[in-house]
Amino acid sequence: MKYVKEFRNPSLVKNMIKKIGSDVEREITIMEVCGTHTMSIFKSGIRDLIPSNIKLISGPGCPVCVTSQAYIDTAIELTKRDDVIITTFGDMLKVPGNNSSLQNEKALGRDIRMVYSPLDSLKIAKENPDREVIFLAVGFETTAPAIALSIKIASEENIKNYSILQSIKTMPETMKQLVLDEDIKIDGFLCPGHVSTVIGAKPYEFLANEFEVPAVIAGFESGDIAIGLYTLIEMIKNNTNEVKNVYSRFVKYEGSEKAISSIYEIFEESDAVWRGLGNISGTGLKLKQKYDSFNAETKLGINLLNDKPIKGCICGDILKGKKNPLQCKLFSKVCNPLNPIGACMVSEEGTCAAYYKYKNIG
Ligand code: SF4
Ligand code: SF4
């Protein structure tokens, strides 16, 4: 792709990082909300290069990590039904529930199938008309259009044995909760890149206008992140509260009209339960009444089980940026990618997994 090489040029990036905040004396806390940013920041060494008064904290940006314990336990319970096939993205397989994981249940012979798209689930439903195929609908605004499309097709083609276990979340309102939390002092946000390709820059403007917290939308190359951090710290330094988009090669101010309308044709805003953050109003998507026959909970008459936190795991505080994985007693010795105790160690985008991989611990 044109210009990508420049965004990966190590010496250009290094020079830019060195300039970031070199003339700022006070401590500045920046939250990167997206899990891919967390990984990129580690991979590029930005954490080690940036001046020590610039604190980078990770937020709730990985869809696997923020999925509630209750959701995982409910999905595991559903696998015990012979009339059900569970379909899921691969990352969800390893997430530990209270007593098991989908991967363990699969090894026990439960019918759990990994798919790359909700449309693959529809295909499985067509091939198995006598069984209910339930897709674990986990993700942010990025995955919502494909899930919406699967529901639209299922409705149009009258596929009666397809449903979703809903846990789709939306980002901007969640960032508001983090700003309102007095224990976390966020001076600026690095907004999620992929989510922003769908929703655009506009939905973050309230952060700058109402809460005086500037935000920057940046891409994922080391150069993108360096430009993003530089832009953000310049704004913080100059008390400029705006939302700036330095990822304009993919993100438009208004977002993707097509993707947004495909989401809201099928879904409407709802509350959502986030691991560690609890139930936050306006941060989820649920099927519109018209499509409720594709909602596994109403269709099968089930309720999500109660949340039972995992003993010793501090994923909740990590997702809020209040603690880092090195402060977890289980980190590395007990909890590692081969034996994840909490969700943040499972996903490629999880903060604990990033610390484990790039801090050379283990
Ligand atoms: S889905 Fe995309 S934007 Fe969201 S956390 Fe993952 S990489 Fe970041
Ligand atoms: S290191 Fe493991 S147990 Fe500790 S917070 Fe992270 S995922 Fe949870």
Side-chain angles (χ1 to χ4, degrees):
M1 191 186 300
K2 210 177 167 192
Y3 303 131
V4 162
K5 261 205 303 200
E6 288 79 350
F7 285 96
R8 290 180 184 159
N9 183 314
S11 56
L12 275 180
V13 173
K14 208 170 170 181
N15 282 337
M16 177 157 285
I17 295 285
K18 277 189 190 158
K19 284 190 191 145
I20 292 176
S22 53
D23 51 350
V24 185
E25 281 176 11
R26 75 175 176 98
E27 188 169 274
I28 289 179
T29 301
I30 308 275
M31 175 177 273
E32 89 271 356
V33 184
C34 163
T36 308
H37 278 148
T38 304
M39 289 309 262
S40 260
I41 286 169
F42 269 112
K43 198 172 165 188
S44 57
I46 288 175
R47 263 176 202 273
D48 299 325
L49 291 170
I50 206 157
S52 58
N53 57 320
I54 311 293
K55 204 173 144 203
L56 299 178
I57 58 171
S58 308
C62 163
V64 173
C65 302
V66 296
T67 302
S68 75
Q69 195 62 36
Y71 182 92
I72 305 288
D73 289 335
T74 307
I76 289 172
E77 273 308 300
L78 282 171
T79 66
K80 296 177 183 163
R81 295 178 56 146
D82 289 338
D83 58 345
V84 162
I85 299 172
I86 294 288
T87 59
T88 176
F89 293 134
D91 264 6
M92 290 291 287
L93 286 172
K94 282 198 266 165
V95 183
N98 262 289
N99 300 309
S100 185
S101 65
L102 290 165
Q103 185 168 264
N104 288 346
E105 296 301 312
K106 191 171 162 58
L108 292 173
R110 314 276 186 216
D111 202 345
I112 301 162
R113 305 188 193 184
M114 195 185 100
V115 292
Y116 293 101
S117 151
L119 296 181
D120 298 338
S121 303
L122 263 190
K123 192 167 169 269
I124 295 170
K126 285 183 193 171
E127 290 163 357
N128 296 273
D130 300 331
R131 298 171 73 199
E132 182 68 20
V133 174
I134 303 175
F135 175 65
L136 302 186
V138 165
F140 294 125
E141 290 94 332
T142 32
T143 41
I147 301 172
L149 179 64
S150 77
I151 298 294
K152 192 175 176 192
I153 295 174
S155 171
E156 284 169 359
E157 296 187 9
N158 202 19
I159 300 171
K160 294 206 179 297
N161 63 324
Y162 174 66
S163 54
I164 59 171
L165 190 62
Q166 310 187 92
S167 184
I168 307 172
K169 297 184 172 66
T170 54
M171 203 42 102
E173 193 63 24
T174 314
M175 291 158 80
K176 176 174 162 185
Q177 297 305 316
L178 293 167
V179 170
L180 289 174
D181 190 326
E182 286 176 359
D183 293 344
I184 324 164
K185 170 84 193 71
I186 298 170
D187 295 297
F189 279 110
L190 204 58
C191 298
H194 296 140
V195 165
S196 304
T197 59
V198 176
I199 64 174
K202 202 176 164 191
Y204 304 110
E205 284 194 330
F206 73 92
L207 290 168
N209 298 339
E210 281 176 46
F211 298 100
E212 300 182 345
V213 176
V216 167
I217 297 165
F220 300 102
E221 303 298 338
S222 47
D224 284 314
I225 296 172
I227 293 168
L229 289 174
Y230 180 79
T231 309
L232 197 48
I233 288 164
E234 284 301 297
M235 281 201 280
I236 295 167
K237 223 171 69 184
N238 300 320
N239 286 323
T240 309
N241 296 312
E242 282 177 33
V243 175
K244 292 197 174 171
N245 176 15
V246 297
Y247 195 32
S248 55
R249 57 190 199 280
F250 287 111
V251 176
K252 305 278 166 285
Y253 174 78
E254 298 283 353
S256 161
E257 202 185 311
K258 202 173 158 200
I260 294 169
S261 62
S262 71
I263 294 173
Y264 290 99
E265 183 184 345
I266 306 292
F267 294 108
E268 60 191 15
E269 196 182 284
S270 70
D271 295 357
V273 180
W274 296 64
R275 186 187 295 262
L277 280 73
N279 193 341
I280 312 176
S281 113
T283 62
L285 291 172
K286 67 170 186 185
L287 287 163
K288 285 183 172 172
Q289 188 60 35
K290 184 179 167 194
Y291 297 103
D292 205 45
S293 57
F294 297 101
N295 174 2
E297 282 172 77
T298 43
K299 197 170 181 183
L300 276 70
I302 50 165
N303 289 315
L304 286 191
L305 299 170
N306 290 330
D307 241 345
K308 287 189 205 151
I310 296 175
K311 212 173 158 199
C313 173
I314 59 162
C315 268
D317 281 343
I318 288 172
L319 291 166
K320 283 186 268 192
K322 286 185 179 177
K323 290 193 175 158
N324 74 50
L326 302 179
Q327 293 169 286
C328 174
K329 286 187 186 139
L330 305 183
F331 180 75
S332 178
K333 288 171 243 106
V334 180
C335 178
N336 53 60
L338 286 178
N339 179 41
I341 304 296
C344 300
M345 188 57 93
V346 173
S347 162
E348 268 282 300
E349 297 173 1
T351 306
C352 297
Y355 266 74
Y356 188 89
K357 186 167 179 183
Y358 291 109
K359 286 284 178 187
N360 298 324
I361 293 166

